[in-house]
């Protein structure tokens, strides 16, 4: 009976968390060192469920770390290195102040360094884990590799980032695993599927950076330190998996293919024949087979095509994309090393140009704008080149990452592409021979347009129906008398709707709230989709009016 | 012969000191370095440079040309006097130089014999003993110094003016090589040799004619090991024994290394940038406890609006743009403005690129993470599974009759116990009797004032209705067609009984109607002290309760006994504003609804048996289930509360089906139905089964929303009541209509 009085905040969630300052004191680290440690070890603050309890009754805003995480950091060997480094800096300062150059030299020779290998292993226990988290690493390395050597970070870091990113790109080319490309206003997004993991990264356009002043480059540098290490190991493993030599040599131009440890042509052939032979339905198998075949086909999208890049187009990006899909690519000698053939080469099929006009055009090649390449990759088919000729207004460039669900707004261009993809499948056999008449193509296009219009009409009808339904939901009137001849289906539907309405009335408050929230979200989506559709329609109408006025 | 009295090699920085009194003030500012060299030269070197090596002389001479040309260019034309002086000075120096030359020649010969023999460091110019001082100190004196005997050396007489100088210049053939010796102040004529030397120097040649500058050099030390040492000197002892100092130093270093104070140079560790197959081995080191791990969310993938060439519908209109700019950066749906470029080459750099990456970094290491359970519910699953209304039939579904005639609100309706007739009373001061099936108004009773409440006597043996008009309660007989003859006579008997005893007592005055009113059917008037808002019959039909809502009085409810013409006030205390009252259909209970609660009184025991606390703010009406164990009560805050009297004093269920105030509620007498009427113009009919099994809770299912009444003056349906036998519901509204839903 009785017993000791229980004190507050000595058990439960209050003891599971620790504030940042306390954690810092426990680790005996300065704030920058603590920050670096957290970045390298991947320790982040947690938001406790009951903040007031954890904060010992106070409501002051504090960041909390898990005590277990901090305890885990206590035994990190790298903490010792940080302390060593601190001592080193102190000694160095002293030596400088005393003008003892020999000491300075000696100290500099013995500058403490640390390796992050064990941290990488610890944070990413398996290779797949590392691949899963490589998005940020790639983005960061690609950004750093575009930095000028202006002292925002070490030159070695920039060079290392460049090296690693080039290695990565070469791996993607070699393994043909690029899936999607997107030209955004921020930069170019790439998505590749490596070992079943979708990896997306963003590469800025090739411009010098206007370095902002409100960015702490030390934080970025620490992240980069970690990411370069991670990316290096990942690259190594990936190269190994393809039997490629690591580190590769002379790659920066993205024009040469990688050296193999073992020449493995046969192996690839063997891979093609392997199909999973599990106890599955024949249909499933067939579908899978089909999918695989399609994928294989998509991988060879540009095979047999010969591209030449003019100097005004983003060379690296285009070379990367074209080579990832099996195309041959070259550029002017003066642009970059690694060009393999000249403009004058008669076998060039496509020349990528981004200027209003070109002199000395060759008849046997297409002069197209760079967007064609990216759109083809996203559509997984070779799109008609007419829309992408020099001086032609380009069709909109759509994001391949958007997957429209039911009820979402789908831009008409996307529908067009989808139609083309489906049409392509059926006509593939016919289109094998490349000698196509332009008339045929034109006809096809017209058909496409018709289809599109029809689809649009259907869409409009659907929209109208939806609108009607929405209206009718608001007011249902029970009108007297008058026997109407009504179709029973509709009656049933109405009855069901009413049933639902009545049931909704009986919902509990909490559930009703949740239900209303969900429905609100759905309605908002519909509203947004409608808004976009309306905007598009207004735009198209305006365009039509303009055209008419011109005529 | 030497031009200066100085023998030291120290350079003299001030130019004026050298060039004599006349040239002291002439600015000579060119490059200072070459200037100082010639001064050194002029002052010292050649004149008495016997101690100097030929090498040094050489170097000195080499710079002379510059200064000569310098001084020439500067001084020509400044004034002839100074020019002349300069010239003379040069000449004097040249004489000195010549001497020097001779001496150096000698030197070369003598050097090997005795290097100190010709040492004349103290063999100064002995004509003037003043020493190495600036001669301008003597500028104001008649003399320039003292000779060896201590006698003043007087300045030579200089009475020459410009003209004399000019004449001299013209006549004296040696004028061009006459210079003034600053030591003695005398003019010296330079010899041919000296002039030649000056010329050579001006040309940049060596002063010594015989000097061969292209002589092949002979190394004193050569790479060949000679058998003889360079010097004859025996080597020191220290070169044979180990150095103590060194030893000490080494031991110190060794100690420091031993103690770890100095670390030996680390072997170059190049493994930092070397990569290997990190995941080759299966075993792992320490593993972090990842139970609470929250992986960082991925950056959302870009949509169409981020494209450099998006479809036109994704671009912002000017209005949207303005809204976007007004918004707080945190509230914006898009962090950027979608833009369209006609070609790829026009796309500029994204200026917030580094920012965004940095923010991502901050998010990764600084942002507190929390696992949020995302509600992934199919909204259909949230809807409760209720029995289908179709299975709960019968209930009224459609409007089948509208009773038109009232002008103004119809406040109260009541069907006859047989269900054939309907009584309604409204604000237009008329009570009307309708035939339910035909919708025809059979009788209209005009009264003075709005009828607040009209109730048909539930006793089938009587044909009587009660109306609340102003502060009166009228007992009216319906038209004779509305009842059997027996019933009519029974009613007549009841009304015509002479019960004098109770009349004229208490606050209530009973009186029989007369004249015109009697013709209309009004039989008895019960005069109340205050306006009556509601009347209600006991199920036996003898008692009628009247409500006179008043905050401040205990006299709010009166119960009248018709057969005895007697009234009583059941409550002696004020319980709050009484809203509504009802007799319990079976038991001797009386229900009283005040603003917030419902009280149930046992009439036999004369005590409060229960107090029901609803969540309602202002109760409008109550109804009792015919079974007697359940009460519903509607309130002005849109609620309908179902009380199970056996269960609790709190509502078993609160229904918030209406959007506006609930005005009236009603139970069906035989069917498991109840209805509520509201200001939103709708009547909601619910199925409410009460099970005889006490353990089973009542089942409440809304079955129909009936609409038809038009909302006028913010008032919708004012009263609702069921048909006594059929599953029909009557409703009266503010639009002056009565509607029947079947």
């Amino acid at each position: 009976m009785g017993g000791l009085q229980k004190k507050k905040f000595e058990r439960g969630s209050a003891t599971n968390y620790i504030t940042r300052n306390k954690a810092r004191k426990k680790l005996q680290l300065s704030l920058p060192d603590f920050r670096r440690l957290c970045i390298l070890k991947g320790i982040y603050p947690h938001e406790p469920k009951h903040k007031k309890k954890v904060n010992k009754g106070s409501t002051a805003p504090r960041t909390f770390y898990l005590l277990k995480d901090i305890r885990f950091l206590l035994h990190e060997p790298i903490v010792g290195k940080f302390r060593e480094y601190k001592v080193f800096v102190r000694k160095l300062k002293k030596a400088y102040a005393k003008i003892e150059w020999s000491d300075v030299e000696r100290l500099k020779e013995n500058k403490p360094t640390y390796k992050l290998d064990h941290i990488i292993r610890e944070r990413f226990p398996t290779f797949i884990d590392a691949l899963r988290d490589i998005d940020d690493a790639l983005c960061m390395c690609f950004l750093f590799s575009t930095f000028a050597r202006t002292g925002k970070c070490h030159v070695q870091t920039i060079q290392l980032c460049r090296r690693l990113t080039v290695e990565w790109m070469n791996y993607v080319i070699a393994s043909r695993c690029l899936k999607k490309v997107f030209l955004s206003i921020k930069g170019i997004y790439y998505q590749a599927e490596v070992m079943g993991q979708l990896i997306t990264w963003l590469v800025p356009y090739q411009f010098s950076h206007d370095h902002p002043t409100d960015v702490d480059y030390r934080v970025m540098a620490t992240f980069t330190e970690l990411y370069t290490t991670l990316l290096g190991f990942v690259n190594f493993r990936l190269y190994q998996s393809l039997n490629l030599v690591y580190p590769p040599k002379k790659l920066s131009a993205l024009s040469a293919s990688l050296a193999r440890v073992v020449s493995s042509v046969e192996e690839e052939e063997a891979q093609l024949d392997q199909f999973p032979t599990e106890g599955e339905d024949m249909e499933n198998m067939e579908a899978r087979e089909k999918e695989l075949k399609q994928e294989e086909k998509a991988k060879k999208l540009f095979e047999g095509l010969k591209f030449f890049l003019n100097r005004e187009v983003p060379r690296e990006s285009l070379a990367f994309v074209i080579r990832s899909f099996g195309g041959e690519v070259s550029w002017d000698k003066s642009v970059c090393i690694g060009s393999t053939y000249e403009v004058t080469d008669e076998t060039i099929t496509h020349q990528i140009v981004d200027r209003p006009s070109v002199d000395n055009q060759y008849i046997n090649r297409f002069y197209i704008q760079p967007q064609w390449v990216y759109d083809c990759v996203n559509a997984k088919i070779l799109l008609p080149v007419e829309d992408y000729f020099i001086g032609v207004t380009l069709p909109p460039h759509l994001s391949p990452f958007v997957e429209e669900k039911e009820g979402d707004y789908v831009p008409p261009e996307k529908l067009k592409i989808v139609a083309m993809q489906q049409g392509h499948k059926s006509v593939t056999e016919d289109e094998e021979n490349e000698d196509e008449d332009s008339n045929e193509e034109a006809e096809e296009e017209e058909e496409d347009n018709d289809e599109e219009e029809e689809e649009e009409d259907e869409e409009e009808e659907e929209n109208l129906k939806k609108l009607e339904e929405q209206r009718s939901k608001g007011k249902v009137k029970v009108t007297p008398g008058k026997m109407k001849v009504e179709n029973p289906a509709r009656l049933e539907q109405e009855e069901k709707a009413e049933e639902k309405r009545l049931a909704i009335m009986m919902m509990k408050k909490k559930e009703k709230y949740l239900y209303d929230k969900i429905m609100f979200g759905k309605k908002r989506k519909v509203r947004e989709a409608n808004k976009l559709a309306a905007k598009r329609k207004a735009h198209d109408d305006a365009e039509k009016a303009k055209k008419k006025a011109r005529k | 012969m030497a031009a200066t009295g100085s023998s030291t090699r120290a350079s003299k920085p001030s130019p004026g000191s050298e060039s004599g009194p006349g040239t002291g003030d002439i600015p000579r500012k060119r490059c200072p370095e070459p200037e100082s060299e010639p001064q050194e030269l002029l002052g010292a070197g050649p004149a008495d440079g016997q101690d100097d090596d030929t090498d040094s002389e050489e170097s000195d001479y080499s710079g002379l040309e510059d200064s000569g040309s310098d001084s020439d260019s500067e001084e020509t034309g400044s004034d002839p006097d100074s020019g002349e002086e300069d010239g003379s000075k040069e000449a004097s120096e040249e004489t000195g130089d010549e001497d020097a030359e001779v001496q150096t020649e000698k030197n070369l010969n003598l050097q090997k014999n005795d290097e100190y023999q010709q040492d004349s460091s103290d063999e100064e110019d002995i004509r003037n003993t003043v020493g190495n001082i600036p001669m301008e100190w003597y500028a104001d004196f008649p003399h320039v110094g003292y000779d060896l005997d201590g006698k003043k050396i007087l300045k030579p007489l200089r009475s020459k003016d410009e003209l004399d100088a000019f004449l001299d210049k013209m006549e004296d053939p040696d004028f061009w090589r006459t210079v003034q010796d600053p030591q003695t102040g005398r003019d010296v004529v330079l010899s041919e040799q000296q002039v030649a030397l000056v010329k050579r120097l001006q040309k940049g040649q060596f002063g010594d004619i015989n000097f061969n500058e292209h002589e092949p050099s002979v190394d004193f030390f050569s790479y060949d090991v000679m058998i003889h040492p360079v010097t004859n000197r025996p080597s020191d002892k220290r070169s044979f024994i180990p150095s103590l100092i060194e030893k000490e130093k080494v031991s110190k270093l060794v100690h420091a290394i031993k103690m770890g104070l100095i670390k030996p140079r680390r072997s170059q560790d190049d493994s930092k940038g070397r990569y290997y197959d990190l995941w080759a081995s299966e075993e792992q080191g320490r593993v972090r406890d990842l139970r609470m791990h929250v992986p960082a969310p991925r950056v959302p993938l870009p949509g169409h609006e981020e494209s450099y060439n998006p479809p036109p519908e994704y671009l912002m209109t000017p209005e949207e743009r303005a809204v976007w700019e007004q918004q707080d950066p945190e509230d914006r749906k898009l962090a950027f403005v979608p833009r369209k470029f006609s070609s790829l080459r026009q796309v500029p750099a994204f200026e917030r690129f580094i920012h965004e990456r940095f923010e991502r970094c901050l998010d990764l290491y600084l942002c507190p993470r929390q696992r949020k359970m995302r509600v992934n519910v199919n909204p259909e699953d949230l809807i409760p599974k209720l029995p289908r209304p179709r299975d709960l039939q019968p209930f009224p579904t459609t409007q089948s009759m509208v009773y038109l005639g009232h002008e103004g609100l119809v406040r109260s309706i009541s069907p006859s116990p047989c269900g054939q007739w309907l009584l309604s009373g409204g604000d237009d001061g008329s009570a009307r009797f309708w035939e339910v099936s035909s919708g025809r108004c059979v009788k209209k009773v005009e009264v003075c004032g709005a009828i607040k409440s009209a109730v048909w006597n539930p006793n089938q043996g009587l044909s009587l209705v009660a109306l609340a008009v102003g502060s009166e309660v009228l007992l009216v007989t319906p038209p004779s067609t509305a009842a059997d003859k027996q019933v009519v006579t029974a009613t007549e008997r009841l009304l015509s009984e002479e019960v004098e005893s109770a009349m004229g007592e208490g606050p209530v005055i009973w009186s029989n109607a007369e004249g015109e009113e009697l013709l209309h059917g009004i039989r008895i008037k019960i005069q109340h002290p205050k306006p009556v808002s509601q009347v209600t019959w006991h199920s036996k039909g003898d008692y009628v309760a009247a409500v006179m809502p008043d905050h401040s009085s205990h006299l709010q409810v009166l119960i009248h006994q018709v057969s005895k013409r007697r009234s009583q006030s059941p409550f002696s205390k004020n319980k709050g504003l009484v809203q509504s009252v009802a007799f319990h259909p079976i038991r001797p209970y009386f229900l009283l609804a005040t603003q917030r609660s419902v009280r149930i009184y046992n009439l036999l025991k004369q005590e409060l048996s229960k107090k029901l606390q609803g969540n309602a703010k202002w109760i409008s009406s109550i109804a009792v289930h015919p079974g007697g164990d359940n009460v519903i009560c509607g309130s002005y805050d849109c609620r309908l509360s179902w009380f199970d009297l056996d269960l609790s004093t709190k509502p078993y269920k609160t229904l918030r089906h209406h959007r506006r105030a609930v005005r009236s509620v009603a139970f069906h007498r035989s069917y498991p139905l109840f209805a509520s009427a509201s200001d939103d113009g709708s009547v909601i009919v619910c199925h409410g089964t009460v099970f005889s099994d006490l353990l089973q809770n009542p089942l409440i299912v809304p079955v129909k929303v009936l609409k038809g009444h038009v909302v006028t003056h913010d008032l919708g349906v004012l009263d609702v009541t069921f048909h006594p036998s059929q599953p029909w519901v009557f409703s009266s509204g503010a639009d002056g209509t009565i509607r029947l839903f079947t």
Side-chain angles (χ1 to χ4, degrees), chain B residues 469-610:
Chain B
V469 182
S471 57
E472 283 182 335
V473 171
L474 307 178
L475 297 180
V476 182
T477 48
S480 53
T481 49
D484 291 343
K485 212 161 197 183
Q486 281 184 337
V487 174
V488 172
T489 46
T491 312
E492 282 300 317
R493 206 183 308 133
L494 178 70
L495 291 174
S496 55
E497 264 177 32
E498 290 295 318
V499 186
E500 295 295 328
S501 58
M503 285 230 178
E505 278 180 20
V508 179
I509 303 161
W510 290 73
S511 60
N512 286 324
E514 287 163 359
E516 185 80 358
E517 287 176 339
L518 198 58
L519 287 178
H520 282 304
I522 300 172
R523 305 299 293 264
I524 296 176
K525 291 158 87 175
I526 311 169
Q527 183 70 39
H528 289 70
K530 277 170 286 187
V532 179
S533 71
Q534 193 213 347
V535 285
T536 182
W537 286 100
H538 186 253
S539 55
K540 293 272 170 53
D542 195 19
Y543 291 95
V544 62
V547 180
M548 301 168 284
D550 185 4
H551 278 295
S552 52
S553 164
H554 68 271
L555 190 71
Q556 294 192 63
V557 182
L558 286 170
I559 298 179
H560 312 291
Q561 191 175 10
V562 178
S563 57
K564 294 190 177 161
R565 308 268 159 43
R566 205 174 58 180
S567 304
Q568 53 179 334
S569 167
F571 305 113
S572 55
K573 272 184 192 164
N574 181 12
K575 299 285 191 288
L577 190 64
V578 177
Q579 295 298 313
S580 172
V581 294
F583 285 99
H584 195 278
I586 305 162
R587 271 159 280 182
Y589 287 157
F590 187 68
L591 288 91
L592 177 97
T594 57
Q595 202 170 321
R596 307 289 301 264
S597 60
V598 178
R599 288 152 202 266
I600 302 172
Y601 293 94
N602 191 330
L603 289 174
L604 286 182
K605 291 183 186 166
Q606 305 242 326
E607 62 175 20
L608 178 70
S609 85
K610 222 163 230 174

Side-chain angles (χ1 to χ4, degrees), chain A residues 44 132 354 397 409 528, chain B residues 294 298 307 309 313 333 345:
Chain A
Y44 47 85
R132 212 174 282 153
D354 197 1
H397 180 61
Y409 173 74
E528 266 163 23
Chain B
V294 185
R298 296 195 169 205
S307 167
N309 181 15
E313 61 268 31
K333 215 171 167 197
R345 70 169 187 281

